[in-house]
Structure formats: C-alpha cells, structure tokens
C-alpha cells in the first residue's frame, strides 16, 4: 500500500477548524476572532458550494424567468381603462390643471392612434359634457320637427291599430291604471314577472337587444315613431298631465341602429378632440350615450320628455312641474323613470329625469312601491 494512500484527506470544514484551533492555542486573547472566522468561512463555503452543486437547476430557472419577462413586456396596455361613471371627469380635470402648472398635459393615445400625444383640453371635455342631453348629441330635442305636443298628436289624425281597432282614434279602454295605488308602502305581495314579457325586457350594456327581436313600429306624429303598443298609454298620460295644467312634450323616441351609432361616435370624437385616447373616450362616452345595440330607444320603449319653458334635457328638468308630475304619476300609465338618482352604480347611467321607459302598469307600480329600478326587478323578481 502506497504511503500517499494512507494519508487521511481532510474536508474544507475540518481544515478550517484545525487552523482556528491552532490559532486559538497560540493567541488565546483572540480566541473570539478565530471562532468568528471559522463560522464565516464555513458558511460562505457552504453557500457557494450549494449553488455550484445545483448550477444546472439555477441556470434553467434563470432562462425561464428571462423568457417570461421578454414575452410579457408588451402585454400590458399603456392606456388608462378606469374612467368611472360620472365623477371621474372631475379627476381628469384636476389632474390636467395640476400637471399644466409644471408642463403641458399630455395623454398617450392607443396603438390604433399610432401613439399620438396631444394636450388634453379640459374646456372641450366640459363642452362635450355640457347640460345638453348627452344622449342626443345633435340636440334634436331643440328641433320643433323632432318634438310632439299633445295637440300635435291629436291633430295629426294618425290611424293606429290598438287591439284590432282601426277607427283613427287612440283607444285605451283595455288598459287598467292603478290610480289608487299607495306608493308610500312597499308591496308585501308582488305579481309574477316573466322574462318573456316584452314590456319589461331588459336592455342595457350587459343585455343588448336580441338579434331576433322584432316589434310593431307605430307613428306618434310626423317622423316620430315608437313601439305601437305604448302609444295609447302615452297619449293617456299626456292627457292626464294636460288636465292638471302640466305640459308634456315628446322628443327623441325610437332611433334606429344607424342613428344610435352616429350619436355614440360623435361623443367619442368630441372627447378625442380634447386629447383623450380612443379607449378613454369610449369609456367616458358610454356613461352618457348608450352603446349602439344596447339602447332602449332602439326598441321603441323609451321616450324623452321636455316641457314648455324648459327644453334642456338635464337634471334641472326634474325640478320642473312636468318633471315632478311625471315622477309622481307616470307609473299609473305604465311608465317609469328609467335612470333614477341614487341608482347610478346599478344602471351604469347617470340620473336622467327626462328619460321614461314603458314597462306596463303592474311592473311600474311595483317598482315605484319598492323603490327599485329595472335591473333590480330582474335580479330579484323576474322568473
């Protein structure tokens, strides 16, 4: 046996301990430093040896992380998609004014706009969100040809069939109005509401108009049309208001897809002219103008209403005699205030005291009694 094979091989740890012991015997006063050196040296050796022993594993992990970072670097949009419903305009305006004190405010356009950067013009945004009805960007409610008073309808002599009648008159004998309903108390029992009932069909951003939906389109007067089945109760409501000295003027009833698309695109263009990106403009516009294919006007069940001396479609209409009368009495004729105040988080549409929707007397009465909107009726009471 070779002498070299008989020599015992020491590990690195044993060599360090041996050296430290020799050092401590010669320098007893520095024994603590020797111990610290041994601990540090052995720890560093073990740490480095661990990585050396698992070098292949860590190399693979590093490659995976590098691939993930490289493949994800373009997956996050650079545009803000968090414009909330009504109050976010104030945030946009405040951010614009603060940044303009330091430098010109810029917003980054989407990829579709080739990353064009423009200054945000808060004045243009204010104008786009002005007091004019935001759902009628062309101000058609100010056009006399797009308005209909009670006398206009009665003098038009339109021949409208209601339950088989074709005598040139609007009959409503088959409609029963709950004039004696007590709206101060919540109903303990409620009628059954069926999802197939056309009167309560839910139309909003989450529930667009079905492709196969059809309805009888009737003429109110001139070029103004709506679902033929709501003309009789609409006329009766106008007569009742007129008897109490309240003037109701119909405007902006039925709209086809082309017109709704034009109104929506116009609103987007106004915001983009102010320097907003397309996605930001789309999100903000959808809070005021219903997305095409999701508007109740397109199914002829929604009516916008103004009155003598107040032709602006804004929140101020709710304080007029007409606005108050409708709020208190429209349910008796099957109409409800579609987007009431305090329900914005549910309807996703700001308060519109001029916008009334026909749902039928039973549903309208129940909704008023229980202070619910159409979305809440569907979520809880519709079979």
């Amino acid at each position: 046996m070779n002498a070299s094979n008989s020599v015992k091989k020491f590990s690195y740890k044993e060599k360090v301990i041996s050296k430290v012991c020799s050092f401590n015997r010669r320098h007893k006063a520095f024994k603590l430093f020797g111990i610290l050196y041994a601990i540090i040296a052995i720890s560093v050796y073990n740490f480095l040896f661990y990585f050396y022993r698992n070098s292949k594993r860590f190399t693979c992990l590093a490659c995976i992380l590098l691939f993930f970072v490289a493949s994800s670097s373009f997956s996050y949009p650079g545009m803000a998609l968090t414009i909330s419903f009504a109050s976010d305009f104030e945030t946009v305006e405040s951010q614009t004014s603060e940044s303009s004190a330091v430098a010109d405010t810029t917003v980054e356009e989407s990829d579709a706009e080739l990353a064009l950067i423009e200054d945000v013009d808060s004045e243009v945004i204010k104008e786009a969100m002005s007091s004019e009805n935001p759902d009628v960007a062309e101000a058609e409610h100010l056009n006399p040809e797009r308005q209909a008073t009670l006398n206009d309808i009665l003098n038009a002599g339109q021949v409208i069939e209601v339950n088989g009648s074709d005598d040139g008159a609007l009959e409503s004998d088959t409609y029963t109005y709950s004039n004696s309903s007590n709206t101060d108390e919540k109903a303990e029992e409620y009628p059954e509401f069926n999802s197939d009932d056309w009167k309560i069909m839910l139309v909003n951003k989450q529930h667009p108009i079905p492709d196969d939906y059809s309805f009888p389109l009737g003429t109110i007067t001139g070029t103004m049309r709506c679902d033929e089945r709501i003309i009789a109760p609409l006329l009766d409501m106008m007569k009742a208001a007129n008897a109490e000295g309240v003037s109701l003027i119909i405007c902006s009833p039925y709209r086809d897809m082309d017109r709704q698309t034009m109104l929506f695109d116009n609103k987007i263009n106004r915001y983009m002219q102010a320097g907003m990106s397309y996605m930001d403009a789309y999100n903000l516009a959808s809070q005021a103008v219903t997305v095409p294919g999701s508007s109740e006007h397109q199914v002829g069940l929604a009516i916008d209403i103004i009155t003598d001396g107040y032709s602006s479609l804004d929140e101020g209409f709710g304080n007029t005699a007409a606005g108050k009368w409708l709020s208190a009495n429209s349910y008796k004729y099957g109409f409800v205030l579609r987007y009431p105040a305090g329900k914005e988080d549910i309807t996703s549409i700001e308060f519109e005291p001029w916008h009334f929707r026909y749902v039928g007397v039973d549903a309208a009465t129940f909704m008023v009694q229980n202070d619910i909107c159409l979305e809440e009726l569907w979520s809880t009471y519709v079979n």
Side-chain angles (χ1 to χ4, degrees):
M1 182 169 49
N2 295 331
S4 59
N5 293 335
S6 63
V7 178
K8 183 179 180 180
K9 294 183 178 180
F10 294 98
S11 65
Y12 177 80
K13 180 180 179 181
E14 292 173 335
K15 290 179 180 179
V16 170
I17 294 176
S18 177
K19 289 181 180 180
V20 169
C21 290
S22 299
F23 175 83
N24 289 344
R25 283 195 295 269
R26 293 194 303 268
H27 309 284
K28 294 183 179 180
F30 299 98
K31 182 183 297 186
L32 180 60
F33 292 100
I35 296 175
L36 289 176
Y37 167 77
I39 294 175
I40 295 174
I42 294 174
S43 298
V44 171
Y45 174 80
N46 289 337
F47 180 78
L48 295 176
F49 184 73
Y50 172 79
F51 279 94
Y52 172 77
R53 187 174 54 188
N54 297 278
S55 58
K56 293 183 178 180
R57 181 182 302 174
F58 287 109
T59 301
C60 292
L61 180 60
C63 291
I64 293 174
L65 291 176
L66 181 62
F67 175 79
F68 175 78
V69 172
S71 62
S72 303
S73 59
F74 301 103
S75 63
Y76 300 100
M79 62 190 74
L81 301 177
T82 57
I83 292 184
S84 70
F85 164 74
S87 61
D88 277 1
F89 170 66
E90 299 176 359
T91 304
V92 173
E93 183 181 1
S94 63
Q95 290 175 346
T96 301
S97 60
E98 289 175 2
S99 5
S100 62
V102 181
D104 292 334
T105 306
T106 57
V107 287
E108 202 173 289
E109 292 291 345
S110 64
D111 292 341
E113 295 300 318
L114 301 180
L116 179 63
I117 299 178
E118 300 178 0
D119 291 335
V120 176
D121 191 336
S122 60
E123 293 302 322
V124 176
I125 296 179
K126 280 183 178 180
E127 182 180 353
M129 299 184 69
S130 62
S131 60
E132 288 185 8
N133 178 14
D135 204 19
V136 188
E138 298 303 309
E140 61 183 15
H141 59 291
L142 300 178
N143 184 354
E145 295 181 359
R146 302 289 297 175
Q147 300 175 1
T149 65
L150 177 61
N151 289 334
D152 292 335
I153 299 174
L154 295 177
N155 294 334
Q158 295 290 150
V159 178
I160 300 174
E161 293 186 12
V162 179
N163 296 321
S165 174
D166 189 11
D167 58 1
L170 291 172
E171 298 182 357
S172 59
D173 295 340
T174 58
Y175 293 89
T176 302
Y177 305 127
S178 305
N179 293 323
S180 60
S181 298
N182 182 5
T183 60
D184 294 331
E185 297 180 3
K186 290 188 177 181
E188 296 182 359
E189 298 182 358
Y190 60 90
E192 292 188 2
F193 300 107
N194 194 301
S195 60
D196 295 329
D197 188 352
W198 64 270
K199 295 189 293 296
I200 62 170
M201 72 174 298
L202 181 61
V203 178
N204 57 26
K205 298 173 187 176
Q206 293 74 36
H207 300 84
I209 303 168
D211 293 335
D212 59 349
Y213 181 74
S214 61
F215 60 95
L217 194 59
T219 300
I220 300 174
T221 181
T223 60
M224 302 181 66
R225 298 178 295 173
C226 67
D227 189 314
E228 185 180 77
R229 295 166 290 187
I230 77 168
I231 295 179
L234 174 62
L235 182 59
D236 282 349
M237 182 172 70
M238 296 179 72
K239 288 179 179 178
N242 185 67
E244 298 184 31
V246 176
S247 167
L248 301 182
I249 301 176
I250 303 302
C251 66
S252 188
Y254 168 75
R255 303 186 201 130
D256 59 21
M257 174 65 84
D258 290 341
R259 181 157 186 80
Q260 188 67 28
T261 301
M262 180 268 292
L263 297 176
F264 189 72
D265 289 344
N266 284 354
K267 182 64 81 172
I268 291 177
N269 290 335
R270 289 190 180 187
Y271 289 135
M272 292 184 66
Q273 289 171 5
M276 299 182 71
S277 70
Y278 176 80
M279 286 303 300
D280 286 348
Y282 183 97
N283 287 333
L284 192 57
S286 66
Q287 311 306 327
V289 182
T290 309
V291 176
S294 304
S295 172
E296 294 181 325
H297 286 283
Q298 292 180 249
V299 292
L301 297 176
I303 302 290
D304 289 345
I305 300 177
I306 56 178
T307 187
D308 286 336
Y310 201 98
S311 57
S312 297
L313 292 177
D314 56 22
E315 292 189 11
F317 177 77
N319 297 322
T320 65
K324 294 178 181 178
W325 189 92
L326 286 167
S327 180
N329 297 280
S330 63
Y331 76 94
K332 302 174 184 177
Y333 306 92
F335 291 87
V336 292
L337 178 59
R338 181 63 179 90
Y339 305 118
K343 301 289 186 179
E344 291 88 351
D345 291 341
I346 301 174
T347 64
S348 296
I349 297 292
E350 56 197 10
F351 174 43
E352 294 188 355
W354 64 86
H355 182 112
F356 285 82
R357 156 72 193 269
Y358 185 79
V359 295
V361 175
D362 289 341
T365 302
F366 183 76
M367 290 169 65
V368 171
Q369 288 175 337
N370 291 274
D371 188 26
I372 59 176
C373 61
L374 189 57
E375 281 79 6
E376 291 173 305
L377 181 76
W378 267 79
S379 65
T380 307
Y381 303 104
V382 175
N383 295 324

